[in-house]
Amino acid sequence: MPNEGRPSGEGRAIALRTRLLAAMLGPMLGAAAIIGVGGATLISDVVRRTNDRVLGGALGAIAETVQVERGEVTLDLPPAAFGMLENSERDNVYYRIAVGGTLLTGYADLPAPDPRTMPVDQPRFRFARYRGQDIRIGEVKRSLPRIADPVIVQVAETLDNRRALMHRLMIALLIGELTLVGVAILLLRPALGWSLRPLLRLRRAVEARDGGARPDFSALEAGPLPSELRPLARAFNRLLRQLDQATGGVRRFTADASHQMRTPISVLKVQIELARRGSSEAFDEIADAAQRLERLVTQLLALARAEEAGASPPLETVDLKEVSAVVVNRLINQAIQAQVELNLEASAAESYRVEAHRTLVFEILANLVDNGIRYNRPGGTVTIALAQGEDATLMTVSDDGPGIAVEHRDKVFERFFRVGGASAPDGTGLGLAIVQSAASRMGAQVEIVEGGAGTHIRVRFPRRGEDGGVGFVAEMTVSGR
């Protein structure tokens, strides 16, 4: 298949460098556009104000020459006023001076203002259309002594120079922005390469683990990492630890299974050979060896489940009385055959619900009761006692067998350690190891307590919350005698 051996999504995702470049260029281009619009507005305003100042100077120079002589309005148009308006674009200049509605001089068809809307001696500017061209008009109203009508002075020019200046400034702004963006693009790629160098080191540290004869699950050494990559490195190192635990569990299970199954398999081979030679007793030995092998495999699998690496199982509400009753019913026949009495002691008024995992609680209790039956004597008793402590719910399994010597109490929770050695009852030495591993996964504690003759093993379930319960069996007794 074309995607075989390829991680999910590979070939479809955009490269991280490209993503970062786009993420940086996008806002940069947006900012450039905003600056361009703002710059264009500012340029338009500056060009207008600058040219209006020149136009206003020419208007003032002409207005100053308007005088009253012998009751009549006179003026002397200064050539310098029109010289101020000369420019390289050779804009057309127009003017108009009128007293009231009577033209004194200038272009009669130049758009005239309404004198009533104009303040006295305050120039104003406006755009207009004249002779097929856009023009800018500067105009002022003057009031002269002994003249009833106001004098309106107007000076106008076409907009070619303004447009040319604005165009040059816009081109300069655009070139500046394009230069800035281009330089930024040239500098961003090496800057991104430098920024992504810690990620490259991290990748090389991972790739260096490939190709070894044995997987290396030790923590990655990628040198100092930026704060954004530290959580990724920590999460990856946690994953490596979990993988190490998982593979370690598989290796231990394989070693334990190969070591412990060697003896019953050898017995099976010998007895099968004897059966072929006609020994009728060999079939009983074969059946016994097969039973021991079945129990060994069952306990090895239980230990593997209890020691399973990774996240702890989700906690649930477990009724210890209900699980205890199931265990008692499951082991009734074994107890009857061993002539051992099973007891379940719990108060009907108390609730023994704990936050745990039902399968693991069952494994703990089944192994403790199984040990109590196996290492007991005919006529003995195995008791499951439930009680509420100050800060924990207690589950104690007691028997009145030979007990565990003080010097062995630190070793009984080790795998394949058996009290009594070869003279001990048939077993695998895995029961208490299963109990210890399963309890630790739920945050419970296992301890051997003093209680007279026999063995007394207590499991403490921390109380994480109160939960009301219902009445159950106060005491259950199954006699094997």
Side-chain angles (χ1 to χ4, degrees):
M1 296 178 64
N3 290 331
E4 186 175 356
R6 176 182 296 178
S8 176
E10 184 176 339
R12 292 176 294 179
I14 301 174
L16 182 59
R17 188 189 300 269
T18 305
R19 286 174 178 268
L20 291 175
L21 189 61
M24 296 173 123
L25 284 180
M28 184 182 299
L29 292 176
I34 293 174
I35 293 174
V37 173
T41 303
L42 180 62
I43 288 173
S44 176
D45 183 68
V46 169
V47 170
R48 178 181 59 80
R49 288 175 180 273
T50 301
N51 284 270
D52 282 353
R53 189 175 294 112
V54 176
L55 185 62
L59 177 66
I62 295 175
E64 288 293 331
T65 65
V66 178
Q67 301 293 331
V68 177
E69 293 182 4
R70 299 176 185 180
E72 293 183 358
V73 178
T74 64
L75 76 156
D76 182 14
L77 293 177
F82 295 101
M84 295 170 60
L85 299 177
E86 290 183 358
N87 52 63
S88 60
E89 303 299 328
R90 299 185 180 277
D91 279 317
N92 295 327
V93 178
Y94 308 98
Y95 67 96
R96 179 178 179 273
I97 297 97
V99 179
T102 305
L103 178 67
L104 188 60
T105 184
Y107 295 83
D109 55 348
L110 190 67
D114 184 356
R116 294 172 298 179
T117 63
M118 298 179 63
V120 179
D121 293 331
Q122 293 186 13
R124 74 176 188 181
F125 302 90
R126 60 188 175 93
F127 290 102
R129 188 79 177 169
Y130 181 63
R131 295 185 179 181
Q133 292 180 303
D134 293 323
I135 61 172
R136 181 73 167 171
I137 301 177
E139 52 196 11
V140 64
K141 181 174 76 171
R142 295 198 62 188
S143 179
L144 299 178
R146 297 185 302 276
I147 300 298
D149 295 325
V151 177
I152 305 299
V153 181
Q154 292 178 282
V155 180
E157 66 175 352
T158 54
L159 306 180
D160 292 342
N161 183 64
R162 294 177 184 238
R163 289 170 178 163
L165 178 59
M166 188 178 301
H167 180 73
R168 289 193 297 271
L169 292 176
M170 290 288 190
I171 292 296
L173 175 63
L174 180 61
I175 291 175
E177 288 195 335
L178 291 179
T179 302
L180 178 63
V181 172
V183 171
I185 292 176
L186 292 177
L187 295 178
L188 275 178
R189 293 195 67 84
L192 287 175
W194 175 80
S195 301
L196 295 175
R197 197 171 297 166
L199 189 60
L200 179 61
R201 290 201 310 268
L202 190 62
R203 188 192 75 183
R204 288 174 177 170
V206 174
E207 290 176 344
R209 305 294 179 90
D210 191 16
R214 182 176 179 179
D216 182 6
F217 296 117
S218 59
L220 289 176
E221 293 294 339
L225 293 175
S227 58
E228 293 82 3
L229 289 180
R230 288 175 200 157
L232 174 62
R234 286 195 293 266
F236 193 81
N237 284 333
R238 285 196 299 269
L239 177 61
L240 287 177
R241 285 195 298 271
Q242 292 174 1
L243 286 174
D244 190 27
Q245 293 171 1
T247 55
V250 172
R251 287 194 298 268
R252 287 194 302 271
F253 177 81
T254 303
D256 296 341
S258 61
H259 177 268
Q260 294 297 316
M261 293 173 67
R262 188 178 297 117
T263 298
I265 289 176
S266 298
V267 171
L268 278 175
K269 289 181 178 179
V270 172
Q271 297 303 325
I272 289 173
E273 186 63 29
L274 292 175
R276 287 175 177 173
R277 297 178 182 180
S279 175
S280 59
E281 298 177 355
F283 290 103
D284 295 333
E285 294 294 335
I286 290 173
D288 184 60
Q291 186 176 3
R292 290 199 304 272
L293 185 60
E294 179 187 13
R295 173 173 170 74
L296 175 62
V297 171
T298 300
Q299 288 209 303
L300 283 172
L301 291 175
L303 181 62
R305 286 195 301 269
E307 293 184 344
E308 181 182 355
S312 297
L315 297 180
E316 55 185 340
T317 301
V318 178
D319 191 334
L320 296 183
K321 287 189 289 191
E322 183 267 333
V323 176
S324 299
V326 172
V327 171
V328 169
N329 290 330
R330 181 73 59 87
L331 299 178
I332 284 177
N333 291 334
Q334 181 182 345
I336 292 174
Q337 292 176 4
Q339 299 181 9
V340 173
E341 183 180 282
L342 294 184
N343 295 328
L344 172 59
E345 297 178 356
S347 171
E350 290 283 352
S351 171
Y352 300 101
R353 295 181 179 178
V354 297
E355 294 299 314
H357 193 274
R358 190 182 187 284
T359 301
L360 296 182
V361 172
F362 179 86
E363 293 287 351
I364 290 173
L365 196 54
N367 278 279
L368 290 177
V369 174
D370 178 78
N371 278 358
I373 295 173
R374 286 179 179 275
Y375 289 87
N376 215 321
R377 55 181 173 77
T381 302
V382 176
T383 301
I384 304 171
L386 305 178
Q388 293 290 357
E390 293 183 359
D391 58 354
T393 302
L394 309 178
M395 180 177 69
T396 306
V397 177
S398 306
D399 65 68
D400 50 7
I404 301 174
V406 176
E407 63 269 18
H408 292 157
R409 291 185 179 179
D410 293 336
K411 299 180 180 180
V412 292
F413 294 103
E414 297 178 2
R415 298 137 68 91
F416 304 116
F417 179 82
R418 298 179 60 203
V419 177
S423 62
D426 182 35
T428 61
L430 290 173
L432 292 182
I434 294 172
V435 170
Q436 181 74 282
S437 181
S440 65
R441 292 202 68 203
M442 297 183 295
Q445 297 176 347
V446 182
E447 56 187 354
I448 299 175
V449 297
E450 298 292 341
T455 302
H456 308 271
I457 298 180
R458 176 178 296 162
V459 183
R460 299 174 59 88
F461 294 92
R463 189 175 294 116
R464 296 182 174 88
E466 296 296 334
D467 186 11
V470 295
F472 200 71
V473 291
E475 182 173 347
M476 175 184 293
T477 300
V478 179
S479 177
R481 285 181 280 183

